[in-house]
């Protein structure tokens, strides 16, 4: 049997193939990496055993995480203070005079070495207030309470996400990744751009960060595709419509982004909730929406009336933020996972370094529901424009 030899590829085709291979390898090197320590822990049964598995896996991962290196820099910026029902914030445990507190949403800008060796910039929680106002909960609250209470008493505006980067010497195109712990009250079209026009506007939105990819848990995307009635009030209708697929990176489980940066799957508050974990000069920090105050993770230290007694009565080590308990047992486990990763605060070692992504404000009008310990934000290192040194 004879065969006809195939012609050798041309030099041009060979070069193109090599360049394509290099691009794919570079993309793979920069892609989020799964964290093997947590594989299968959310499938453990019965539930008491699952909690122990989560705690054990978090302790094992922490040892490896801190050895991978630290981030270069992180800075936080207050975006807005928004009204929030007191009974949600502490699962009904807080004894309050005022039915509403204010929570301060913060945007973090983080720089770190990716696994490809390149400097990466992550923007965490760039909430656009105009989008938040369209979530059914806040739209209905405004109709019921009126503009004065919702806009002038409970709400304060500090920064717009698109004004933050210039103040740091960065440009929007310097951002590699954008992420939220979950997509409650987020209109993603206003951040990542869209091919469709938002109702009431004249043209589709351009991307706020033109090179960035949205990192989102696959289960959170699924919620937008088919929202359950128990989830409806907190998701902006059509908030993902027309967002280009190539701008979105969906992941499953827990992932690492680079040296000192991980996104840990922390389900319960929502199915696709995840938390940001950073290794800093002061140790490990976690940013999370599972609580609105340090009191949620350490109720035994809380001075908010009712919180400590509630936790002691039920034998709980955490009190969750409970506006949507998609799975309260999972959320409990997730908060334990966060506590296991976080280091003690350098300001007061009784408290752990868990920064609520929307932190309870210390406003006097909220008395007696004011934070027992206020983290207030993060500021480490110096943010550096890519290509200009570190």
């Amino acid at each position: 049997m004879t065969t006809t030899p195939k012609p050798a590829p041309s030099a041009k085709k060979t070069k193109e193939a090599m360049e394509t291979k290099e691009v794919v390898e570079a993309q793979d090197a920069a892609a989020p990496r799964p964290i093997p320590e947590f594989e299968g822990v959310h499938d453990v049964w019965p539930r008491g055993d699952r909690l122990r598995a989560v705690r054990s896996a978090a302790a094992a991962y922490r040892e490896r995480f801190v050895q991978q290196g630290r981030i270069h820099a992180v800075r936080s910026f207050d975006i807005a203070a928004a009204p929030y029902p007191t009974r949600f914030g502490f699962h009904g445990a807080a004894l309050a005079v005022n039915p509403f507190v204010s929570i301060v949403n913060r945007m973090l800008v983080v720089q770190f070495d990716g696994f490809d060796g390149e400097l990466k910039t992550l923007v965490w929680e760039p909430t656009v207030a105009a989008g938040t106002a369209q979530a059914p909960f806040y739209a209905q609250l405004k109709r019921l309470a009126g503009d004065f209470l919702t806009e002038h008493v409970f709400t304060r505006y500090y920064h717009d996400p698109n004004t933050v980067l210039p103040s740091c010497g960065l440009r929007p195109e310097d951002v590699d990744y954008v992420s939220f712990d979950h997509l409650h009250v987020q209109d993603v079209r206003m951040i990542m751009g869209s091919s469709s026009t938002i109702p009431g506007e004249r043209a589709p939105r351009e991307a706020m960060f033109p090179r960035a990819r949205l990192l989102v848990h696959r289960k959170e995307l699924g919620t937008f595709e088919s929202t359950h009635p128990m989830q409806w009030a907190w998701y902006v209708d059509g908030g993902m419509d027309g967002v280009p697929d190539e701008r979105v990176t969906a992941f499953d489980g827990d992932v690492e982004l680079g040296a000192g940066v991980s996104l840990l799957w922390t389900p319960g508050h929502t199915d696709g909730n995840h938390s940001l974990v950073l290794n800093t000069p002061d140790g490990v920090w976690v940013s999370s929406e599972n609580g609105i105050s340090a009191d949620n993770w350490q109720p035994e230290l809380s001075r908010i009336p009712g919180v400590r007694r509630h936790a002691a009565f039920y034998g709980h080590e955490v009190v969750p933020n409970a506006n949507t308990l998609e799975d309260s047992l999972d959320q409990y486990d997730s908060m334990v996972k966060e506590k296991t990763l976080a280091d003690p605060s350098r300001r007061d070692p009784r408290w752990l370094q868990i920064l609520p992504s929307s932190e309870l404000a210390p406003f006097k009008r909220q008395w007696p529901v004011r934070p027992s310990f206020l983290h207030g934000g993060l500021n480490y290192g110096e943010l550096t424009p890519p290509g200009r040194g570190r």
Side-chain angles (χ1 to χ4, degrees):
M1 179 178 177
T2 61
T3 58
T4 303
K6 295 181 180 180
S10 66
K12 180 180 179 181
K13 289 185 177 180
T14 301
K15 181 180 179 183
E16 289 175 349
M18 291 177 64
E19 288 176 347
T20 300
K21 182 174 182 290
E22 289 173 357
V23 169
V24 171
E25 288 176 346
Q27 290 174 339
D28 289 343
R33 295 181 179 179
I35 299 175
E37 284 88 345
F38 294 110
E39 186 174 352
V41 295
H42 293 284
D43 299 323
V44 173
W45 188 265
R47 295 303 297 262
D49 287 347
R50 184 182 304 180
L51 173 58
R52 284 187 285 273
V54 168
R55 196 190 305 268
S56 176
Y61 176 59
R62 177 190 155 78
E63 289 188 19
R64 184 167 66 85
F65 176 70
V66 296
Q67 294 173 1
Q68 291 180 333
R70 297 174 179 168
I71 61 171
H72 288 288
V74 57
R75 283 192 62 188
S76 61
F77 301 85
D78 293 354
I79 299 298
Y84 195 67
T86 308
R87 63 187 177 91
F88 288 163
F90 298 95
H91 202 182
L95 302 178
V97 176
N98 196 321
F100 287 92
V101 294
S102 288
I103 53 176
V104 179
N105 175 263
R106 292 194 177 95
M107 169 175 153
L108 302 184
V109 182
V110 185
Q111 287 192 322
F112 60 97
D113 285 331
F115 291 121
D116 59 358
E118 299 294 325
L119 182 69
K120 306 294 182 184
T121 300
L122 163 71
V123 171
W124 176 255
E125 297 282 329
T127 298
V128 176
T132 297
Q134 300 308 308
F137 174 82
Y138 283 111
Q140 294 183 118
L141 181 63
K142 187 173 182 178
R143 285 196 295 271
L144 291 172
D147 288 346
F148 178 75
L149 282 177
T150 56
E151 291 294 322
H152 302 290
V153 175
F154 292 109
T155 304
R156 296 184 186 180
Y157 298 102
Y158 303 104
H159 295 93
D160 291 324
N162 58 356
T163 67
V164 166
L165 291 180
S167 71
C168 306
L170 299 177
R171 303 168 301 170
E173 54 267 35
D174 292 333
V175 178
D176 298 285
Y177 304 116
V178 170
S179 194
F180 297 87
D181 40 36
H182 63 298
L183 295 177
H184 276 178
V185 307
Q186 302 299 337
D187 192 329
V188 181
R189 298 169 294 186
M190 296 183 177
I191 300 147
M192 302 307 297
S194 174
S195 60
S196 62
T197 303
I198 297 173
E201 299 189 1
R202 295 185 177 182
R205 288 279 184 129
E206 297 291 332
M208 187 180 295
F209 309 106
R211 287 185 53 256
R213 297 182 66 86
L214 176 71
L215 302 177
V216 58
H217 198 281
R218 200 175 307 278
K219 288 183 179 290
E220 199 69 10
L221 284 181
T223 299
F224 261 111
E225 294 169 5
S226 181
T227 305
H228 188 278
M230 291 290 286
Q231 301 167 319
W232 168 82
W234 299 96
Y235 286 91
V236 175
D237 184 32
M240 284 290 297
D241 289 354
V243 175
D245 290 342
E246 63 270 18
R247 302 298 309 281
V248 179
T249 296
F251 63 88
D252 297 293
D254 308 77
V255 295
E256 300 173 318
L257 303 186
V261 181
S262 294
L263 300 178
L264 298 190
W265 185 32
T266 49
H269 184 71
T270 71
D271 289 326
N273 199 81
H274 62 275
S275 303
L276 175 67
V277 184
L278 303 175
N279 191 16
T280 75
D282 281 342
V284 177
W285 277 89
V286 178
S287 175
S288 169
E289 188 85 359
N290 281 315
I292 64 169
S293 171
D295 301 73
N296 292 92
W297 285 272
Q298 295 176 265
E300 72 281 2
L301 299 177
S302 179
R303 296 195 300 269
I304 297 173
V307 172
R308 183 188 302 187
R309 184 173 61 183
H310 173 92
F313 182 87
Y314 286 102
H316 293 173
E317 63 179 288
V318 297
V319 174
N321 171 24
N323 63 328
T324 56
L325 284 172
E326 295 190 14
D327 190 319
S328 58
L329 274 69
D330 268 343
Q331 187 170 356
Y332 189 106
D333 295 355
S334 293
M335 295 176 76
V336 170
K337 185 177 188 176
E338 293 163 343
K339 290 179 67 171
T340 306
L341 267 292
D343 272 311
S345 169
R346 297 302 190 264
R347 288 168 44 213
D348 185 339
R350 295 177 303 163
W351 296 94
L352 295 171
Q353 293 184 153
I354 305 177
L355 177 70
S357 50
S358 295
E359 189 170 21
L360 178 66
F363 301 156
K364 291 181 179 179
R365 62 166 175 76
Q366 296 174 183
W367 181 91
V369 185
R370 301 174 66 197
S372 301
F373 184 78
L374 185 69
H375 286 298
L378 300 179
N379 188 355
Y380 294 99
E382 184 176 349
L383 296 170
T384 304
R388 302 186 201 176
R390 296 179 184 171

